[in-house]
């Protein structure tokens, strides 16, 4: 292994290594050009088990880097705009190269050398785009936000301001929630407007909706939003009266103004000093860049990579999914006519370890000896910071509290005031528990799911589509729900 020390689980996902590992390689690049921090995460492990991925950093890197990122960003909030510009310049090039509407036709007329050149340039621009958002934002998420929270607590002590922990979390959440319309709200607005149309006029509007939001569920790997799913999402909306639909539309369109007004009220509530105001501005603005702007454009790029892999798989008469567990070098070889060993790919899908340790090579799968050493080190850890789970923000905000896993309605009685409700999905029967909850997270669901709609009505943070929340969390686990970014992090294991 490249260095000694404790490795800490920072993220858990159901997304395969390609293209996520291309993105993750950006963590190995010093943040000097993006935000002026001449430091980086020296090694990055991805331990794969049954199609799930656990990402690990060295704890000493986290402890060293996150305060630096907080200091620099709070000292110069304009860096968020710089990161946005750097991201957009590179991701626009990726989406130009991998344009979904023309890619299949272009690939069919390309030589192997041309496809290789396309793949290489797209991968490098994808990494550079990631460089401007992933390391700074992740540094905020995995440690920086707690640094800022501690600054708030210290300030309150000096001002003799006493808040219960739940009150503090609610106040902090109010300062970092989005004040701009998110794509989640924009898509819901689109669906509501479709629901108002006469039945005969909906088909064209649904196709337009699909073309605009096809990437919504994709993230780094499928599925695509399709007409069938849109029709399913429309079903509950079509049960509403016209007045109810129009009221929801009005609430969304008014949300930007009301959110801005609420933010100003809360910023002035305790006469916060400039440093703390800048700190929450950075969290809010980087959160919007990461979970809204980046989500849209990076997901579109990931769809393009997926289409490229499907093309290569079809040409080689291979199954496309395992190719997401190939290295970039193996994909380049495949484009040149040399297929990877399918048995090796199958073993990686079931269980494997990929490692990022050099910015000159995106990622690699280690041999069995090194894999056992890495997994052994991970297995010996007393993990207090579990893999972050990622889903879709349904209502923004932050909240920290005890998890309460409720698999079905018969278990709702165990939910206490301020718990984080963890459910496969919610229905009307869950509402009494939802009203007690400080936040809601679900395995499945979209922006028009029951959990999403009720959370917005209740005004509490909500994340849907986490896939593995009910199987990863236990009753009593203390979790941080970061519904700005769609992340759930375990603070303390029960």
């Amino acid at each position: 292994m490249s260095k000694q020390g404790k490795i800490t689980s920072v993220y858990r996902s159901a997304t395969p290594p390609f293209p996520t590992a291309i993105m993750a390689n950006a963590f190995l690049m010093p943040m000097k050009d993006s935000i002026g921090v001449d430091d980086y995460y020296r090694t990055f492990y991805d331990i794969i088990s049954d199609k799930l991925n656990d990402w690990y950093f060295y704890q000493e890197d986290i402890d060293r880097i996150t305060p630096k990122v907080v200091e620099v960003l709070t000292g110069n909030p304009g860096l968020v705009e710089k990161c946005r510009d750097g991201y957009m310049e590179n991701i626009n090039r990726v989406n130009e190269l991998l344009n979904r509407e023309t890619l299949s036709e272009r690939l069919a007329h390309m030589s192997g050398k041309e496809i290789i050149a396309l793949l290489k340039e797209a991968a490098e621009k994808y990494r550079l785009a990631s460089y401007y958002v992933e390391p700074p934002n992740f540094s905020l998420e995995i440690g920086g936000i707690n640094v800022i929270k501690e600054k708030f607590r210290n300030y309150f002590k000096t001002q003799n301001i006493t808040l219960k922990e739940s009150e503090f979390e609610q106040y902090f959440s109010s300062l970092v929630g989005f004040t701009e319309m998110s794509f989640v709200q924009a898509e819901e607005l689109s669906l509501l407007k479709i629901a108002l149309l006469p039945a005969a006029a909906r088909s064209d509007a649904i196709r337009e909706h699909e073309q605009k939001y096809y990437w919504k569920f994709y993230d780094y790997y499928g599925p695509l939003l399709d007409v069938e799913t849109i029709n399913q999402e429309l079903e509950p909306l079509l049960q509403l009266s016209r007045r109810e639909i129009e009221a929801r539309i009005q609430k969304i369109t008014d949300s930007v103004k009301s959110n801005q007004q609420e933010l100003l009220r809360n910023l002035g509530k305790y006469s916060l000093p400039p440093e703390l105001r800048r700190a929450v501005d950075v969290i809010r603005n980087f959160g919007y860049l990461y979970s809204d702007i980046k989500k849209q454009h990076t997901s579109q790029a990931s769809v393009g990579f997926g289409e490229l892999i499907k093309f290569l798989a079809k040409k080689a008469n291979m199954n496309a999914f395992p190719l997401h567990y190939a290295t970039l070098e193996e994909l380049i070889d495949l484009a040149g006519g040399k297929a990877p060993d399918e048995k090796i790919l199958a073993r990686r899908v079931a269980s494997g370890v990929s490692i990022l340790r050099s910015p000159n090579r995106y990622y690699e799968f280690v041999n069995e000896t090194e894999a056992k050493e890495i997994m052994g080190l991970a297995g010996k850890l007393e993990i207090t910071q579990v893999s972050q789970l990622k889903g879709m923000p349904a209502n923004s905000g932050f909240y920290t509290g005890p998890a309460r896993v409720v698999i079905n309605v018969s278990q709702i009685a165990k939910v206490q005031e301020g718990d984080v409700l963890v459910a496969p999905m919610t229905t009307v029967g869950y509402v009494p528990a939802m009203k007690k909850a400080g936040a809601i997270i679900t395995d499945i669901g979209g922006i028009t799911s029951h959990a999403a709609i009720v959370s917005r009505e209740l005004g509490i943070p909500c994340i849907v589509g986490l896939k593995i929340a009910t199987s990863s969390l236990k009753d009593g686990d203390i979790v941080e729900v970061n519904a700005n970014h769609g992340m759930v992090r375990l603070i303390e294991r029960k």
Side-chain angles (χ1 to χ4, degrees), residues 360-386:
N360 299 319
R361 185 175 184 182
Y362 291 104
Y363 62 102
E364 58 190 297
F365 284 85
V366 299
N367 60 41
E368 270 190 48
T369 300
E370 191 168 6
K372 287 180 180 178
E373 184 182 354
I374 294 167
M375 287 189 285
L377 178 57
K380 292 175 184 176
L381 286 179
E382 182 183 341
I383 296 178
T384 57
Q385 189 177 14
V386 82

Side-chain angles (χ1 to χ4, degrees), residues 12 52 386-387 389 468-474 477 490 493:
R12 192 179 201 199
L52 294 177
V386 82
S387 309
L389 308 178
I468 52 176
T470 55
S471 59
S472 296
L473 299 173
K474 299 177 181 178
D477 286 349
L490 178 65
R493 174 63 82 188

Side-chain angles (χ1 to χ4, degrees), residues 263-399:
L263 174 63
L264 289 174
R265 284 196 300 270
N266 286 317
L267 283 172
K269 191 173 183 179
Y270 297 114
S271 301
L272 297 175
E275 179 192 3
L276 296 185
R277 283 175 171 258
R278 290 195 301 269
V280 290
D281 284 348
V282 165
I283 295 173
R284 186 185 329 106
N285 294 334
F286 230 121
Y288 187 75
L289 169 59
Y290 181 84
S291 65
D292 206 277
I293 297 171
K294 192 215 79 165
K295 164 68 178 177
Q296 297 179 52
H297 298 283
T298 293
S299 293
Q300 290 168 24
S302 297
V303 171
F305 279 121
E307 293 299 312
L308 179 53
I309 280 186
K310 287 178 185 176
F311 176 84
L312 294 175
K314 185 175 181 180
K315 194 174 180 181
N317 195 28
M318 295 179 68
N319 181 3
F321 177 75
L323 287 174
H324 284 273
Y325 289 77
T327 65
L328 182 64
E329 290 79 9
E330 288 169 338
L331 292 174
I332 289 170
D333 286 344
L334 178 58
K338 181 184 175 183
D341 188 320
E342 293 187 71
K343 291 183 180 179
I344 292 177
L345 293 179
R347 285 200 297 270
R348 291 175 186 169
V349 172
S351 178
V353 177
S354 70
I355 183 171
L356 291 81
R357 50 187 166 190
S358 168
N360 299 319
R361 185 175 184 182
Y362 291 104
Y363 62 102
E364 58 190 297
F365 284 85
V366 299
N367 60 41
E368 270 190 48
T369 300
E370 191 168 6
K372 287 180 180 178
E373 184 182 354
I374 294 167
M375 287 189 285
L377 178 57
K380 292 175 184 176
L381 286 179
E382 182 183 341
I383 296 178
T384 57
Q385 189 177 14
V386 82
S387 309
Q388 294 197 76
L389 308 178
K390 186 176 182 183
M392 177 183 292
N395 197 40
S396 65
F398 277 81
Y399 185 77

Side-chain angles (χ1 to χ4, degrees), residues 91-357:
I91 203 66
N92 282 341
R93 177 56 179 161
V94 179
N95 284 322
E96 179 185 330
L97 291 167
L98 302 178
N99 184 284
R100 181 189 181 216
E101 294 181 0
T102 63
L103 184 60
S104 295
E105 184 178 347
R106 286 188 289 121
L107 288 171
H109 294 91
M110 282 183 173
S111 66
K113 287 185 178 180
E114 289 172 326
I115 294 175
I116 289 170
L118 172 69
L119 180 55
K120 285 183 176 179
E121 184 181 357
E124 181 58 16
K125 291 295 183 182
Y126 190 82
R127 177 177 73 153
L128 290 175
S130 303
Y131 168 72
Y132 283 96
V133 291
E134 292 288 347
N137 177 76
F138 218 63
S139 298
L140 287 174
E141 287 183 5
I142 63 177
I145 289 174
N146 286 334
V147 171
I148 292 169
K149 283 183 177 180
E150 196 58 33
K151 290 179 182 289
F152 268 80
R153 290 188 176 97
N154 290 335
Y155 172 72
F156 285 167
K157 284 180 183 178
T158 65
Q159 301 299 306
N160 295 317
I161 298 170
T162 303
L163 296 176
K164 295 179 182 178
E165 187 60 23
S166 59
E167 293 173 332
F168 173 81
E169 290 292 343
Q170 185 177 7
Y171 175 67
F172 190 83
S173 175
S174 73
L175 300 182
V176 297
F178 297 158
T179 56
E180 299 178 70
M181 185 175 291
S182 68
F183 79 81
V184 173
Q185 292 173 307
E187 198 223 350
E188 184 179 6
L189 198 61
S190 174
L191 286 171
L192 288 165
K193 289 179 178 179
I194 293 173
L196 284 177
L197 294 173
R202 286 187 203 130
S203 294
D204 288 344
I206 287 171
R207 282 193 291 271
E208 289 177 11
H209 186 90
E210 179 196 23
Q211 290 170 359
K212 187 172 183 179
Y213 295 105
Y214 68 89
W215 46 268
K216 181 181 79 167
F217 295 125
Y218 202 88
D219 205 18
Y220 297 103
Y221 178 81
L224 289 169
L225 179 66
D226 57 20
V227 170
E228 181 181 355
T229 305
I230 295 170
N231 279 315
Q232 290 172 356
E233 292 186 334
L234 278 171
E235 282 181 15
L237 301 181
L238 294 173
Q239 305 305 312
L240 302 175
S241 69
R242 186 176 189 88
R243 179 177 293 180
E244 288 173 316
I245 294 173
E246 289 174 344
R248 288 192 180 184
I249 290 173
Q250 191 64 46
K251 185 176 181 179
I252 293 172
T253 55
D254 289 345
S255 66
V256 172
K257 185 177 180 180
S258 62
N259 288 343
Q260 290 171 344
Q261 290 172 341
E262 182 184 3
L263 174 63
L264 289 174
R265 284 196 300 270
N266 286 317
L267 283 172
K269 191 173 183 179
Y270 297 114
S271 301
L272 297 175
E275 179 192 3
L276 296 185
R277 283 175 171 258
R278 290 195 301 269
V280 290
D281 284 348
V282 165
I283 295 173
R284 186 185 329 106
N285 294 334
F286 230 121
Y288 187 75
L289 169 59
Y290 181 84
S291 65
D292 206 277
I293 297 171
K294 192 215 79 165
K295 164 68 178 177
Q296 297 179 52
H297 298 283
T298 293
S299 293
Q300 290 168 24
S302 297
V303 171
F305 279 121
E307 293 299 312
L308 179 53
I309 280 186
K310 287 178 185 176
F311 176 84
L312 294 175
K314 185 175 181 180
K315 194 174 180 181
N317 195 28
M318 295 179 68
N319 181 3
F321 177 75
L323 287 174
H324 284 273
Y325 289 77
T327 65
L328 182 64
E329 290 79 9
E330 288 169 338
L331 292 174
I332 289 170
D333 286 344
L334 178 58
K338 181 184 175 183
D341 188 320
E342 293 187 71
K343 291 183 180 179
I344 292 177
L345 293 179
R347 285 200 297 270
R348 291 175 186 169
V349 172
S351 178
V353 177
S354 70
I355 183 171
L356 291 81
R357 50 187 166 190

Side-chain angles (χ1 to χ4, degrees), residues 449-464:
S449 65
H450 181 266
I453 292 169
V454 173
S455 70
R456 290 194 286 273
E457 291 173 349
L458 296 174
I460 60 176
C462 178
I463 303 172
V464 297

